[in-house]
Amino acid sequence: MTPRGKKKPNTKQNPELDVKTNDIHLGDCLKLLPNLPDSCSQLIIADPPYNIGPRFGNKKEWLNSPDWTSWCRKWLEECKRILTDDGSIFVYGIHHYLCYVQCLLYDLGLIYRRQIIWHYENGWGGYSKTLSAHYEPILWFSKSDKFTYHAIREPYKSTERLKHKITKNGKTWKPNPKGRMAGDVWCFPTLAGRRFKDEKVDHPTQKPLSLTDRIVNHFSNEGDLIIIPFCGSGTECVSAIKNNRNFWASEINKEYVSLAKKRLSEIEPKK
């Protein structure tokens, strides 16, 4: 039941795709992804198990398993098939193993765009005999050289430069009021601490909505279909709906399906 005043996601059967969009499908993505037609998605956001834990309560847990890479290849093959020619795929991971995924994407013929560094300073500790981790890498590959990208700008460190024109090599340049062009190091805090209590849910690897919104808004267009093979806490689904995209998601853990659907039911209607 949808709470009063809340907006329920518009789940619908897309006649062109013959799939139910804006809904989370319970099951293994290896079994569900083949049901999707070729070239149907403009953006795929994959946040698979990192092969280092934690345990997600599933029958198959990935913890330093030699089978992890071959398993990744299977769902990546499906992702390539369902991407449109102008589509992109983003894959989260950890420095231990994401290099293997990068090699797989090369082998599949996808085109490397960038390894983005998601930098945070408020991560969890847990390290005493080695360096603390303050980043996670995110791979961005496209299917062709024709891909969607809307420029990302970040505020200048000093607003003083907005007051003056800059002359360099005989040319005059005026700073963009929206800020500088963003690079490949993205600074977003993790959902650790009391200030994120309204967003944080009971999922061990929940991604921040702020980070997800950047991917959704700048690498897809309104009305596009975003495929989410590993729904988890549902952050990508929430971002898709809030930003006027459609999504198709799968999740193997029924508790996380319920959790994600609850988050979707609580999205405030647009005024």
Side-chain angles (χ1 to χ4, degrees), residues 155-178:
Y156 295 111
K157 292 183 178 180
S158 172
T159 56
E160 284 296 313
R161 70 184 307 167
L162 294 174
K163 301 176 182 179
H164 310 284
K165 293 181 180 180
I166 299 172
T167 301
K168 187 175 182 180
N169 298 326
K171 296 182 179 180
T172 301
W173 172 74
K174 186 176 181 181
N176 191 304
K178 294 182 179 180

Side-chain angles (χ1 to χ4, degrees), residues 203-255:
H203 188 280
T205 61
Q206 180 185 353
K207 298 302 185 290
L209 190 58
S210 55
L211 170 62
T212 309
D213 281 345
R214 173 170 285 193
I215 296 174
V216 168
N217 281 317
H218 293 276
F219 299 89
S220 70
N221 298 305
E222 291 192 3
D224 282 353
L225 178 64
I226 300 174
I227 299 298
I228 306 155
F230 308 95
C231 176
S233 67
T235 298
E236 291 82 10
C237 306
V238 171
S239 179
I241 295 299
K242 282 190 170 184
N243 294 297
N244 299 315
R245 275 72 168 169
N246 298 300
F247 75 85
W248 179 99
S250 60
E251 172 55 48
I252 200 169
N253 188 310
K254 63 180 180 181
E255 293 182 3

Side-chain angles (χ1 to χ4, degrees), residues 49-119:
Y50 289 2
N51 201 29
I52 60 169
R55 302 184 71 84
F56 291 93
N58 301 321
K59 291 182 179 180
K60 177 67 175 179
E61 299 284 0
W62 295 107
L63 182 60
N64 302 320
S65 171
D67 299 327
W68 183 81
T69 304
S70 58
W71 170 76
C72 284
R73 185 179 187 93
K74 293 176 182 177
W75 58 262
L76 285 171
E77 288 175 341
E78 286 297 318
C79 287
K80 178 187 178 181
R81 180 185 64 80
I82 62 180
L83 264 184
T84 58
D85 288 341
D86 58 352
S88 290
I89 179 171
F90 284 74
V91 184
Y92 286 92
I94 199 72
H95 46 84
H96 299 66
Y97 289 106
L98 195 62
C99 55
Y100 295 108
V101 174
Q102 183 168 346
C103 291
L104 289 173
L105 290 166
Y106 277 127
D107 288 344
L108 291 172
L110 294 171
I111 302 173
Y112 173 81
R113 292 298 163 197
R114 198 61 60 90
Q115 177 172 269
I116 296 159
I117 300 301
W118 169 29
H119 170 62

Side-chain angles (χ1 to χ4, degrees), residues 23-35:
D23 197 14
I24 303 164
H25 304 265
L26 175 62
D28 187 337
C29 70
L30 291 183
K31 296 180 179 179
L32 294 173
L33 286 172
N35 296 327

Side-chain angles (χ1 to χ4, degrees), residues 132-147:
S132 294
H134 291 295
Y135 81 96
E136 290 183 23
I138 309 170
L139 290 175
W140 169 30
F141 275 69
S142 68
K143 197 168 185 178
S144 73
D145 287 327
K146 182 179 68 172
F147 55 88

Side-chain angles (χ1 to χ4, degrees), residues 118-125 133-134 188-193 195-196 208:
W118 169 29
H119 170 62
Y120 45 77
E121 295 181 345
N122 69 330
W124 293 270
H134 291 295
F188 291 95
T190 64
L191 300 178
R195 60 177 167 150
F196 298 107

